[in-house]
Amino acid sequence: MLFKEVIYLMQKDFLLEWRQKYAFNGMLLYVSSTVFVCYLSFGLRSNALQVPVWNALFWIILLFTSVNAIAKSFMQENRGRLLYFYSIVSPQGIILAKILYNACLMLVLALICFVFYAFVLGNPVQDIPMFLLSILLGAIGFSTSLTMISGIASKAANSSTLMAVLSFPVIVPMLLMLIKMSKNAMDGLERAASLDELLTLLAINMIVVTVSYILFPYLWRS
Amino acid sequence: MKKNWWKILTVLLLVFTVAVGMLSDVPRLAILNETIRNLYFHVPMWFGMILILLVSVVYSIKYLRKPSIKNDIIAHEAAKVGILFGVLGIVTGMEWAKFTWGEYWSNDPKQNGAAIGLLIYFAYLVLRSSFAEQQQRARISAVYNIFAFAALIPLLFILPRLTDSLHPGNGGNPGFNAYDLDSSLRLVFYPAVLGWTLLGIWIVNVKSRFEILRQRIYENV
């Protein structure tokens, strides 16, 4: 029952996105212009950026992209539609569908961002599969924690400021782990070295999803 | 009088902590020297902060189960007192770090974790102030409080253990017990933890009673 709801709601989100192409194209432009601004402001030819700087810059761009992309997930729904959902589906279905949809969206955006970023600023990554794995975990992690935050922020008056204020402290542990893991991948360390970070990231994701699953019904009621 | 014994205990414990902590003999260690007395003030702040924030989360959960103004007020006041303890902990820690590690802020994972924890609770206060309607404010900030606390746990308890830290017990540094936390230090340390925590609970108690009374007056006006 819940599973079916989730599938339907995700279908609806994808369909809406496909028809409007509003969030996706907007975010695509956001990513590419940010990368380009970084390229111009560093004023360098490719491959001249140091590895830690490259890595940190990449994750900061992704962080801002995801905050902007996911902030829309509840704000763009109008009142009538929310009321309609309220009467026909369970809140758990909604939050799970939103998390999964946002994870897909973030994954696509992050991959495009990585390709473009590597193209413009050079690609010092040595262990690409591991780096892609960290991007996958990052996309899932950002979407799990930011979806709930965007639900909270959308209830308040000045939601866009609040979104940033509420989400950054919550997302920091995840970001630190991700930066470390992708740094390992960039240096081409053996994969066992990143196992700690990988497990911690999975654990944080589990905690956040469980807490969102439990708490969202209370948020949804208002 | 019977119900107030713990307040007397608090006063006695704190007087004991300050007096004996300042006057008693402490082990002489290289670098640490006399600053080891800060153990009685800096470390209990963190114990107190975590316990009081836990109280705040528990009352937030209580609010979601059974909405009443009282639960919300206690959660709010406890979060504020937790922030107070956190700020004091950071200030005493920075002072201590200046004398032992040479720098007020040395990019230590626990220092950073504490700073981020404070940011989370400042965000909680900002979130509270952005609602006009009381019921909505109480419910949504309770949701955020629980959510943020769940995110804070890995930050405070898992990450510092994975990375190197200047704090004792991390990254190859000797653990808390391996320091000669000998019996004379323990004798003051445990009462200090208990005393400061009780003081925090006392402040929460007084402030929430005051706030509940104020709400009642506003309702009657």
Side-chain angles (χ1 to χ4, degrees):
Chain A
M1 186 59 204
L2 183 65
F3 185 70
K4 234 173 164 178
E5 271 178 22
V6 172
I7 298 291
Y8 273 128
L9 284 169
M10 274 181 77
Q11 244 171 14
K12 167 231 125 198
D13 271 337
F14 277 116
L15 199 66
L16 272 185
E17 190 53 60
W18 183 250
R19 282 197 195 140
Q20 301 182 338
K21 294 198 188 65
Y22 149 75
F24 186 71
N25 284 352
M27 289 331 291
L28 212 58
L29 202 58
Y30 185 91
V31 168
S32 39
S33 39
T34 318
V35 172
F36 202 60
V37 164
C38 288
Y39 171 69
L40 290 180
S41 50
F42 275 101
L44 30 76
R45 271 172 239 121
S46 42
N47 275 329
L49 219 53
Q50 279 178 330
V51 169
V53 180
W54 191 95
N55 194 19
L57 198 61
F58 177 69
W59 284 107
I60 290 172
I61 291 175
L62 266 194
L63 174 67
F64 276 86
T65 312
S66 54
V67 167
N68 277 306
I70 296 176
K72 291 196 183 71
S73 61
F74 285 98
M75 294 172 202
Q76 68 171 2
E77 311 267 18
N78 57 27
R79 264 197 105 69
R81 202 190 287 155
L82 285 179
L83 212 62
Y84 177 57
F85 287 151
Y86 184 71
S87 55
I88 57 169
V89 289
S90 70
Q92 281 92 351
I94 291 192
I95 187 76
L96 288 181
K98 283 280 183 199
I99 286 178
L100 287 174
Y101 166 73
N102 280 333
C104 295
L105 183 69
M106 274 320 297
L107 187 63
V108 175
L109 279 179
L111 286 178
I112 293 172
C113 179
F114 173 55
V115 171
F116 190 57
Y117 189 70
F119 181 67
V120 174
L121 286 163
N123 182 12
V125 181
Q126 295 186 23
D127 188 351
I128 293 206
M130 200 62 193
F131 195 82
L132 291 181
L133 179 65
S134 75
I135 286 183
L136 173 70
L137 282 175
I140 296 172
F142 285 168
S143 83
T144 51
S145 40
L146 291 178
T147 306
M148 187 66 188
I149 298 281
S150 92
I152 294 174
S154 69
K155 302 282 179 197
N158 49 349
S159 42
S160 47
T161 327
L162 216 52
M163 180 75 195
V165 173
L166 297 181
S167 60
F168 285 161
V170 171
I171 215 155
V172 162
M174 219 171 258
L175 199 64
L176 289 179
M177 289 282 111
L178 284 170
I179 286 181
K180 212 187 240 172
M181 188 172 155
S182 55
K183 178 75 172 36
N184 286 351
M186 288 176 77
D187 292 342
L189 298 188
E190 50 180 321
R191 294 184 182 172
S194 313
L195 196 66
D196 259 3
E197 280 80 26
L198 202 133
L199 290 179
T200 317
L201 270 174
L202 285 179
I204 296 179
N205 274 338
M206 297 263 283
I207 295 176
V208 171
V209 172
T210 322
V211 175
S212 322
Y213 183 84
I214 297 169
L215 288 180
F216 190 70
Y218 295 102
L219 194 64
W220 188 230
R221 221 181 275 161
S222 50
Chain B
M1 197 62 207
K2 253 187 187 167
K3 272 165 84 184
N4 287 336
W5 61 271
W6 60 275
K7 294 176 184 167
I8 298 167
L9 181 71
T10 309
V11 173
L12 289 180
L13 281 173
L14 287 181
V15 169
F16 174 78
T17 304
V18 174
V20 181
M22 288 296 179
L23 297 176
S24 72
D25 264 345
V26 287
R28 319 249 138 219
L29 295 174
I31 304 172
L32 276 174
N33 294 329
E34 289 287 334
T35 64
I36 201 166
R37 293 183 199 278
N38 203 355
L39 179 77
Y40 310 138
F41 303 97
H42 169 63
V43 186
M45 288 303 151
W46 297 116
F47 281 80
M49 180 188 90
I50 288 171
L51 278 173
I52 288 168
L53 291 182
L54 196 66
V55 168
S56 169
V57 172
V58 167
Y59 274 91
S60 286
I61 295 173
K62 265 185 160 173
Y63 180 84
L64 290 184
R65 296 179 71 92
K66 193 171 95 40
S68 75
I69 294 182
K70 187 177 156 241
N71 288 340
D72 178 50
I73 286 176
I74 295 178
H76 182 208
E77 298 300 331
K80 280 201 282 191
V81 174
I83 288 176
L84 173 71
F85 270 53
V87 169
L88 286 177
I90 279 201
V91 169
T92 51
M94 276 165 68
E95 192 63 24
W96 202 359
K98 177 69 182 164
F99 286 104
T100 50
W101 305 337
E103 204 99 43
Y104 284 115
W105 199 269
S106 32
N107 204 13
D108 183 77
K110 282 197 174 173
Q111 279 184 327
N112 291 340
I116 294 162
L118 280 184
L119 281 184
I120 287 183
Y121 279 90
F122 286 138
Y124 171 75
L125 294 186
V126 171
L127 179 68
R128 280 193 76 91
S129 62
S130 66
F131 292 102
E133 209 251 312
Q134 194 186 23
Q135 298 250 327
Q136 200 187 21
R137 172 173 66 206
R139 185 169 49 239
I140 291 171
S141 48
V143 168
Y144 182 70
N145 194 1
I146 301 167
F147 189 73
F149 193 77
L152 193 65
I153 290 171
L155 190 73
L156 291 185
F157 297 106
I158 302 175
L159 294 198
R161 281 169 179 70
L162 289 181
T163 40
D164 293 332
S165 168
L166 292 163
H167 275 88
N170 294 115
N173 280 332
F176 196 59
N177 290 323
Y179 266 144
D180 63 305
L181 193 60
D182 61 7
S183 39
S184 70
L185 279 179
R186 279 170 201 277
L187 188 69
V188 188
F189 177 66
Y190 291 129
V193 169
L194 196 62
W196 289 114
T197 310
L198 281 177
L199 180 69
I201 291 171
W202 194 358
I203 298 174
V204 174
N205 186 312
V206 171
K207 285 194 70 176
S208 31
R209 269 165 40 206
F210 178 70
E211 198 59 34
I212 289 167
L213 284 179
R214 205 164 68 172
Q215 294 282 347
R216 206 170 287 160
I217 289 172
Y218 283 159
E219 271 168 24
N220 290 339
V221 165

